[in-house]
Amino acid sequence: MRILSGIQPSGKLHVGNYFGMMKPMINNMDRGELYAFIVNFHALTTVNDSKSLSADTLEAAADFVALGLDPEKCIFWVQSDVPEVTELAWILSTVTPMGLLERCHSYKDKVAKGIAACHGLFAYPVLMAADILLYQAELVPVGKDQKQHLEVARDIAIKFNNTFGDTFVLPEPGIDDNVATVPGLDGQKMSKSYGNTIGIFLDEKTLKKSVMAIVTDSTPVDEPKDPEKCNLYNILQLFAPEERMREIHELYVNGGAAYGYLKLELVDILWEYFRKARETRKKLVADKSYLKNVLAQGAEKARKKAITTLELVRERVGLKY
Ligand code: ADP
Ligand code: TRP
């Protein structure tokens, strides 16, 4: 099976990215042919600071490898190193109905949050479809927020296949319902663009500051609380051992859950949880040449596959003469 997913280097990666996309990709390493990439063309729709984009691209790559992505077991590259994707995006855009893009929540949400409504942001799902279809991906592990974008990719593939003949594999979303959406500090979806994240690789002081900022209600310690409605509980659940989680559940239901204390416990749990990855990451960041080499080799392999698909597409639509 061909499994593919991408992540934007539009800021520091957070625990929502880890559970929604990175961990499922890492777990899929032995299930088939794995394609993982850093989607910097997509990040351009929201980032216009060249220094941060460039630094965050390499950092996102370091994060992914530190967390367990083995470059020997997958094809790992930076999106813009395979420029063929932009040609496919253009061709796909000519069979994409406007209505399909107009219905996309992500575009509307981002504009509502104050991100400038440029054409790239509107056409974002077409570039994402190109990412997926160029490599003929069968399974795409993502968080729930990307479900609609995957439906768009499928719709575009179907439209193309119906118009020009069978060309693209139809991709399936790989969404883990248990961790479909990790809540942020404020209870909304955790997202780099909402400023409500807990970074994976924060220093201890900043980590503590982030966790202490998790929004909780003002129910007194001794009173019972609804765990499902508590943002802190929902985040703890992702990291705390099952046994401890059962005890915490009791404290919520029967009274006795002290938010401040539980937050400090979460800081300790998080610090331990990512300890090994943090140490690996330190080494990767210190020797950038290793990562750059991995990414260059990955791009070369990805490009071969991309060119094969693009040749077929060019022929199908009549660009060969
Ligand atoms: P962000 O919203 O922080 O900019 P991206 O859009 O770059 O994150 O998402 C990268 C991957 O991480 C996607 O597969 C996305 O579904 C997943 N993801 C992002 N935020 C969350 C979250 N809060 N919960 C679960 N998965 C998430
Ligand atoms: N839109 C995805 C996100 O924000 C990132 C992405 C771009 C992607 N191209 C992709 C994900 C292809 C999976 C497959 O998270």
Side-chain angles (χ1 to χ4, degrees), residues 4-6 8 37 39 42 124 128 131-132 140 142 146 149:
L4 170 147
S5 195
Q8 296 191 68
F37 58 140
V39 293
H42 279 102
Y124 181 113
M128 180 161 161
D131 277 337
I132 297 168
V140 185
V142 281
Q146 294 300 312
H149 283 162

Side-chain angles (χ1 to χ4, degrees), residues 38 54-62 65 71 76-78 81 283-300:
I38 311 295
S54 153
D56 287 344
T57 300
L58 213 53
E59 283 199 23
V65 174
F76 185 45
W77 78 103
V78 174
D81 286 338
K283 292 183 201 144
L284 288 167
V285 173
D287 176 16
K288 294 200 173 69
S289 61
Y290 166 77
L291 263 183
K292 285 189 177 177
N293 195 25
V294 160
L295 294 168
Q297 284 179 16
E300 205 176 307

Side-chain angles (χ1 to χ4, degrees), residues 83-98:
E84 282 76 11
V85 72
T86 56
E87 181 177 339
L88 181 60
W90 173 256
I91 296 172
L92 295 180
S93 79
T94 64
V95 295
T96 306
M98 286 295 285

Side-chain angles (χ1 to χ4, degrees), residues 190-312:
M190 185 179 287
S191 172
K192 291 176 223 111
S193 43
Y194 301 165
N196 63 355
T197 65
I198 299 177
I200 303 171
F201 294 114
L202 297 175
D203 61 73
E204 210 166 358
K205 201 168 149 209
T206 319
L207 175 67
K208 187 168 171 193
K209 208 171 147 203
S210 296
V211 171
M212 291 324 247
I214 294 175
V215 177
T216 43
D217 61 21
S218 51
T219 318
V221 175
D222 293 334
E223 274 181 34
K225 307 171 182 70
D226 183 349
E228 307 305 325
K229 287 202 183 124
C230 178
N231 198 17
L232 173 61
Y233 181 90
N234 289 328
I235 299 176
L236 264 166
Q237 207 170 21
L238 295 166
F239 296 97
E242 251 176 67
E243 203 177 310
R244 176 61 186 143
M245 223 38 233
R246 270 196 293 274
E247 290 167 8
I248 295 175
H249 189 267
E250 288 301 298
L251 292 174
Y252 268 82
V253 178
N254 300 323
Y259 295 137
Y261 177 82
L262 289 172
K263 284 181 180 179
L264 289 175
E265 184 174 346
L266 177 59
V267 173
D268 289 343
I269 293 175
L270 281 167
W271 189 250
E272 275 315 306
Y273 194 94
F274 292 115
R275 177 184 291 282
K276 209 172 137 238
R278 195 165 48 242
E279 282 159 12
T280 312
R281 185 178 185 278
K282 224 188 219 168
K283 292 183 201 144
L284 288 167
V285 173
D287 176 16
K288 294 200 173 69
S289 61
Y290 166 77
L291 263 183
K292 285 189 177 177
N293 195 25
V294 160
L295 294 168
Q297 284 179 16
E300 205 176 307
K301 287 186 205 152
R303 201 160 188 194
K304 273 198 191 125
K305 177 77 189 162
I307 287 171
T308 309
T309 309
L310 198 57
E311 282 296 299
L312 178 65

Side-chain angles (χ1 to χ4, degrees), residues 4-196:
L4 170 147
S5 195
I7 191 152
Q8 296 191 68
S10 49
K12 308 293 168 219
L13 301 189
H14 54 77
V15 300
N17 297 139
Y18 177 65
F19 282 103
M21 183 274 197
M22 300 166 98
K23 192 164 177 251
M25 282 293 276
I26 291 162
N27 290 344
N28 269 315
M29 238 159 20
D30 296 312
R31 270 187 73 196
E33 231 178 292
L34 199 77
Y35 287 68
F37 58 140
I38 311 295
V39 293
N40 55 347
F41 278 143
H42 279 102
L44 276 177
T45 60
T46 52
V47 181
N48 49 26
D49 174 338
S50 61
K51 275 203 183 116
S52 359
L53 181 60
S54 153
D56 287 344
T57 300
L58 213 53
E59 283 199 23
D63 289 359
F64 221 153
V65 174
L67 289 164
L69 190 82
D70 181 351
E72 299 285 320
K73 289 189 180 171
C74 65
I75 301 182
F76 185 45
W77 78 103
V78 174
Q79 185 186 34
S80 63
D81 286 338
V82 183
E84 282 76 11
V85 72
T86 56
E87 181 177 339
L88 181 60
W90 173 256
I91 296 172
L92 295 180
S93 79
T94 64
V95 295
T96 306
M98 286 295 285
L100 197 61
L101 301 181
E102 278 161 0
R103 284 195 291 277
C104 284
H105 309 301
S106 169
Y107 172 76
K108 287 186 259 188
D109 289 352
K110 284 179 180 169
V111 173
K113 293 271 171 196
I115 295 172
C118 63
H119 172 257
L121 195 65
F122 184 69
Y124 181 113
V126 184
L127 180 60
M128 180 161 161
D131 277 337
I132 297 168
L133 304 180
L134 189 59
Y135 302 99
Q136 304 282 19
E138 292 159 284
L139 183 71
V140 185
V142 281
K144 194 174 164 198
D145 60 316
Q146 294 300 312
K147 192 166 182 252
Q148 192 182 34
H149 283 162
L150 276 169
E151 285 161 6
V152 170
R154 271 180 80 91
D155 285 349
I156 294 177
I158 292 170
K159 180 86 188 289
F160 188 97
N161 287 351
N162 287 342
T163 312
F164 298 108
D166 234 11
T167 308
F168 294 120
V169 168
L170 301 186
E172 295 288 341
I175 298 172
D176 180 347
D177 284 331
N178 293 322
V179 281
T181 304
V182 176
L185 303 178
D186 53 0
Q188 290 189 80
K189 177 200 127 134
M190 185 179 287
S191 172
K192 291 176 223 111
S193 43
Y194 301 165
N196 63 355

